[in-house]
Amino acid sequence: MAEDHQMLIDGVKSFFEYDEDISIIGSVNNGEELVKLVSLKQPKLVITDIRMPIMDGIQATKIIKKKLPHINILAMTMFDQPDAIKQMLVAGATGYILKNSGIKMLSKAIITVASGETFFDPNVAFNFMNDYIDDNVTIGKSDKVVLSNREKEILNLIAEGKTSRDIAETLFIAKTTVDTHRKNMIRKLDLSSGNELVKYAIDMKYQF
């Protein structure tokens, strides 16, 4: 595990101390030390932040995946910006979770990514990862779902009975963009269909 805030490392270690399925076998505070630690211990999974001193998590991930491609990498960070997410995925990470998502979701992410599958925090910028997310990807579930300002706008317009074409004309954006936002909100809110999204929008009308 690589994280420049020792308090967070200590907290994660403490939580998993008696876990039968997850064991933290080492921790460091920068990317350079992470590369050395992984080369030495070759764990099944690496958890790394993005911003760290000496070497960041993106560069460390690139080096680790080049040397040891079988090792799975989970990004745990505060960055929800599209560029940061894309860079980590291109570097080789197969999991992305925000630090404020909670320890239970971290546990789920660790188990999922360690098994060779892909995991995404429900609150990351889905709009910029359509090339990475499909039906085989696990999306975490959270009690606290954060919708973007644009998603809130669209949700309120859905509650007013507007179609995707109507919304596109109202907001001066493409209909395909509206459809993408709808799809992403269904994922984030853990809904099963567009009809459920409409019902949710009506129930939540004017609360955003």
Side-chain angles (χ1 to χ4, degrees), residues 31-32 34-35 48 52 55-65 73:
E32 186 174 270
L34 175 63
V35 172
T48 181
M52 294 185 293
M55 180 188 295
D56 65 31
I58 295 170
Q59 185 61 31
T61 295
K62 288 179 181 177
I63 294 172
I64 291 169
K65 293 299 289 186
I73 297 180

Side-chain angles (χ1 to χ4, degrees), residues 80-197:
D80 61 356
Q81 293 90 342
D83 286 345
I85 297 168
K86 281 187 177 181
Q87 287 183 58
M88 277 302 294
L89 297 178
V90 171
T94 50
Y96 202 100
I97 185 170
L98 300 180
K99 289 181 180 178
N100 60 2
S101 296
I103 201 73
K104 289 184 179 179
M105 189 181 294
L106 173 60
S107 180
K108 174 65 174 176
I110 289 172
I111 292 171
T112 302
V113 176
S115 68
E117 299 177 13
T118 303
F119 184 97
F120 286 108
D121 188 297
N123 292 319
V124 295
F126 286 114
N127 293 341
F128 300 89
M129 296 189 302
N130 292 327
D131 292 337
Y132 299 95
I133 293 180
D134 56 35
D135 292 338
N136 297 316
V137 173
T138 298
I139 306 294
K141 297 179 182 180
S142 174
D143 293 333
K144 182 181 179 182
V145 177
V146 179
L147 298 181
S148 69
N149 289 333
R150 178 64 87 186
E151 287 169 343
K152 292 174 184 177
E153 273 186 301
I154 292 174
L155 197 64
N156 281 328
L157 290 171
I158 290 173
E160 293 175 10
K162 294 185 180 297
T163 65
S164 289
R165 190 170 300 281
D166 294 334
I167 295 171
E169 291 176 357
T170 300
L171 300 178
F172 302 102
I173 57 179
K175 177 181 175 295
T176 54
T177 301
V178 177
D179 290 337
T180 298
H181 280 300
R182 282 179 177 266
K183 178 181 177 182
N184 293 340
M185 284 191 285
I186 289 171
R187 287 184 182 276
K188 283 187 177 183
L189 297 167
D190 193 30
L191 303 175
S192 60
S193 67
N195 288 335
E196 281 199 10
L197 180 64

